[in-house]
Amino acid sequence: MSNRFLLRDALAEFPPYVPGKPPTTAPGLKPYKLSSNENHLAPLPGVVDAIAEAGQVPANYPDPKSTKLVADLAAHLDVDASEIVPGAGASEILSALTNITLEAGTSVVYPWPSFEMYPILASARGAQKRPVPLLEDGRHDFQGLVAAIDDTTRLILLCSPNNPTGPSVSTVELDGFMAEVPAEVIVVLDEAYFEFATDAEVVDGMAAYRKFPNLVLARTFSKAHGLAGLRVGFGVADPTIATALRQVIAPFSVTSAAQVAAVESLSRNDEVLVRAKEVAATRDQFEQDLSDAGLTVSDSQGNYVWVSLGDEDAQAFEEACAAQAVAIRRLSGGVRISVGPDEALDRVREVATAFVESRTA
């Protein structure tokens, strides 16, 4: 007999977040996970040591204000510390932004497909979701986004580079869009993958932030810095917005290990950027190879490649990769493949060639 409890009706409106699948095993093959956009490179020197030292006294709570990390980020970005809000990954910053803006009777506008947490967070707040389909090339439809805004809109979410399709928002696009957005509506630029972007037209988030008081940046140490397992990110926001965010973020959410690892990695940011551009070069070659094999790929600026496929073909491609002990991410409209070790990407190349040949035979 099933028990009944007083749970929110909104829970029926959305599925829980589904993480990338782990790789399956295959005889004689090393398994690889290319389904979660993780950084496959080894940690930077000093980061592991900083984590180990921070774990020497696990009984103590972490600094609730992440004082050192906030100060270093403020200096690095040339903003006041009051404008920096640390959190357990960019996801906590996004959750807090929905928490301070959305409720029943309000709406949130965002591109789709994009980061899967956007509709989940909106539903959790009881807000009306207004997803705007991407353009055919995987870019944001800014005319459509503007058309979706009305007097109930409290939050707009943009993703640059867009996850999962890959294109970045350009400076011209963002400037034109912000001119159409009411000044009191908060616009979020989710820049989880910005370090990998190489497009000359990509928007500079910090330059845009200085122009538009209602723009908030969400950034993370998970991707280019390779600290996804520690959960540390941050927001950059007008002090009024930042103060509201701190009100709703759980105390002690950024652990001591996460704080010191982020501080150490930030001190080596030049190295992080060099490595990110190396990943980007691999991405570009991989993208070209898949295109040459006959697949339809978008111009990705993240550490992943998006292949447009119908649902049946996407499932078949995912299964073919799984048979080679490589996990990729199947989503509506295609598959997303994270940049990983050469051996893993070579297997995907072989799958791509065989896949296209089987459909043209």
Side-chain angles (χ1 to χ4, degrees), residues 57-71:
V57 190
N60 291 354
Y61 283 108
D63 173 4
K65 295 182 179 180
S66 301
T67 307
K68 173 63 173 171
L69 176 58
V70 167

Side-chain angles (χ1 to χ4, degrees), residues 20-242:
K21 294 179 180 178
T24 57
T25 57
L29 293 177
K30 179 179 178 178
Y32 290 103
K33 183 184 178 188
L34 306 182
S35 56
S36 293
N37 292 347
E38 294 157 331
N39 192 327
H40 71 285
L41 300 176
L44 284 168
V47 171
V48 173
D49 291 341
I51 295 169
E53 184 175 351
Q56 293 297 309
V57 190
N60 291 354
Y61 283 108
D63 173 4
K65 295 182 179 180
S66 301
T67 307
K68 173 63 173 171
L69 176 58
V70 167
D72 286 3
L73 283 168
H76 176 69
L77 299 173
D78 192 23
V79 298
D80 191 83
S82 64
E83 299 169 72
I84 301 293
V85 182
S91 295
E92 185 170 44
I93 301 302
L94 294 169
S95 178
L97 283 159
T98 63
N99 208 1
I100 66 172
T101 57
L102 302 179
E103 58 190 348
T106 65
S107 65
V108 56
V109 175
Y110 53 89
W112 195 254
S114 194
F115 184 36
E116 292 171 277
M117 287 299 296
Y118 297 163
I120 292 174
L121 293 171
S123 292
R125 310 303 180 214
Q128 182 186 48
K129 302 184 292 291
R130 293 187 181 166
V132 176
L134 298 171
L135 300 174
E136 288 189 6
D137 60 1
R139 302 186 69 83
H140 290 25
D141 176 3
F142 281 100
Q143 289 185 344
L145 291 166
V146 169
I149 301 169
D150 64 14
D151 59 4
T152 70
T153 305
R154 297 291 181 271
L155 186 67
I156 301 167
L157 300 167
L158 308 177
C159 192
S160 179
N162 187 56
N163 175 21
T165 58
S168 290
V169 172
S170 72
T171 300
V172 171
E173 286 174 328
L174 186 65
D175 285 354
F177 178 68
M178 294 300 292
E180 300 289 335
V181 176
E184 67 274 14
V185 175
I186 294 175
V187 179
V188 182
L189 188 62
D190 181 351
E191 292 192 299
Y193 302 91
F194 82 96
E195 294 98 337
F196 301 104
T198 54
D199 188 334
E201 303 300 318
V202 64
V203 66
D204 179 334
M206 284 305 303
Y209 168 73
R210 291 186 171 92
K211 286 192 287 187
F212 306 110
N214 58 328
L215 185 69
V216 176
L217 306 182
R219 292 185 172 183
T220 185
F221 285 87
S222 293
K223 306 302 181 181
H225 289 266
L227 301 181
L230 294 180
R231 311 310 303 129
V232 54
F234 61 98
V236 187
D238 176 272
T240 300
I241 299 173

